[in-house]
Amino acid sequence: MGSIPITRSIFPERRVPTRRFAFQARRPDGGMKLAILSRNGSLYSTRRLVEAARARGHSVRVLDPLRCYMRIAPGGFAMHYKGRPVSGYDAVIPRIGTSITRYGTAVLRQFELMGSYSPNPSDAILRARDKLRTHQILAAQGIDLPTTVFGDNPDDTQDLLSLLGPPPHVIKLTEGTQGAGVMLAEKASASRAVVEALRGLYANFVVQEFVAEAGGSDLRCLVVGDRVVAAMRRQAPEGEFRSNLHRGGQASAAEASPEERAVAVRSARALGLGVAGVDLVASARGPLVLEVNSTPGLEGVEGACGVDVAGAIIDYVAEKSKKNQ
């Protein structure tokens, strides 16, 4: 592959012109017929995947999942898109936002039932979107993460927090993204107040230990298949504990340690994801998993690391879809 000149941008997913990557275009034997499920084809990650697929000789189409509709019958799964039949796709790459998780995964499942391969199956996306379920699955596999507690009844709040230990506590909505719905309570009284407020809103949340030694920094590992293809260090701005780029965090290229790579790959595999952004935080007891993202943005990591992540994803999907045929 040729050189990959990149402007070092760390901004969140935006509608921007696709950067020019220097590809050594090649047409594999029998290129894929590929669909990308995305609400907006102009988003950076979607455009990069399209560009990488076409450079490799694959046929690719962006489909808005909300314009896909389905016929479901024994032996008769069918899909239409804007009035026309959709079929025969070797593979589908989902770029499904959290606001359309339920419908988007139903569309993806329909493609799966029609014989299409997906690196991130519908059930795996549903597992990853639920933070509580993710933590339970990872802990069952012996993968370390910040100690987490969860409960429902207000009468149990005091004992619930005692199971976690002294503050600070991090309180997270179980379906939040990009740092939204994540709060830091520095006193026990503040933890109780936030928990009671969220229960009053019938919100689903977990409470976790605060890993102070991380210093507001985490490591995003981009997992494709059985390897970490790129890693970036994200540092929270002064006065902020969340390092998400959407929250003003700064990104820089990083070299993940062998232990961090192994934890990231194990985490993605435990959830059934072939492509994932795994967020790790350094602690006195080793790397801890903060989150596993089934639809990681590519702009930040490609800009910070200078790695053709989109190309790595397309190559992985092409290899796997051949084996699926």
Side-chain angles (χ1 to χ4, degrees), residues 20-282:
R20 297 299 179 186
F21 281 68
F23 287 117
Q24 182 177 347
R26 54 190 174 85
R27 180 176 294 276
D29 295 335
M32 280 189 298
K33 182 180 179 182
L34 173 67
I36 299 174
L37 293 180
S38 173
R39 292 296 322 279
N40 192 331
S42 68
L43 292 176
Y44 179 91
S45 298
T46 303
R47 295 187 65 175
R48 283 287 298 113
L49 290 167
V50 169
E51 180 184 72
R54 288 178 176 164
R56 287 158 171 77
H58 303 299
S59 169
V60 58
R61 185 181 181 189
V62 177
L63 302 175
D64 179 351
L66 296 188
R67 295 300 304 273
C68 296
Y69 45 102
M70 300 157 275
R71 178 182 184 274
I72 303 166
F77 293 101
M79 180 91 68
H80 277 213
Y81 183 75
K82 297 183 178 180
R84 296 190 176 184
V86 173
S87 64
Y89 282 94
D90 299 306
V92 179
I93 297 178
R95 300 289 308 175
I96 298 170
T98 55
S99 63
I100 63 163
T101 296
R102 186 168 179 269
Y103 193 84
T105 53
V107 170
L108 178 59
R109 188 177 301 110
Q110 186 82 350
F111 274 109
E112 293 165 1
L113 292 167
M114 293 165 61
S116 299
Y117 165 79
S118 176
N120 290 351
S122 53
D123 286 344
I125 293 173
L126 290 171
R127 283 191 287 269
R129 286 282 158 87
D130 185 332
K131 288 185 174 65
L132 174 61
R133 189 177 180 188
T134 293
H135 292 328
Q136 290 174 319
I137 291 170
L138 297 182
Q141 294 290 322
I143 298 171
D144 209 354
L145 44 84
T147 301
T148 302
V149 298
F150 170 78
D152 182 71
N153 195 298
D155 294 339
D156 300 327
T157 299
Q158 186 66 39
D159 192 44
L160 177 74
L161 294 176
S162 71
L163 289 174
L164 184 58
H169 298 145
V170 177
I171 303 168
K172 296 180 179 180
L173 297 178
T174 58
E175 295 184 356
T177 60
Q178 300 169 352
V182 181
M183 296 148 279
L184 178 65
E186 298 186 357
K187 297 181 179 180
S189 58
S191 295
R192 288 194 298 271
V194 173
V195 167
E196 289 167 3
L198 291 176
R199 283 196 174 125
L201 296 171
Y202 300 99
N204 294 315
F205 61 91
V206 296
V207 189
Q208 293 184 317
E209 67 171 309
F210 175 63
V211 185
E213 58 264 38
S217 172
D218 70 12
L219 182 73
R220 162 62 64 91
C221 293
L222 212 303
V223 176
V224 179
D226 59 357
R227 65 193 181 101
V228 173
V229 299
M232 66 176 175
R233 182 75 57 189
R234 303 186 300 186
Q235 179 64 51
E238 186 174 355
E240 174 62 77
F241 75 101
R242 295 169 295 183
S243 60
N244 306 74
L245 302 189
H246 287 75
R247 302 291 157 186
Q250 299 296 309
S252 59
E255 183 65 35
S257 69
E259 183 181 11
E260 290 167 334
R261 289 173 181 268
V263 169
V265 171
R266 284 183 63 205
S267 299
R269 186 179 298 148
L271 295 176
L273 298 169
V275 175
V278 181
D279 297 338
L280 305 175
V281 62

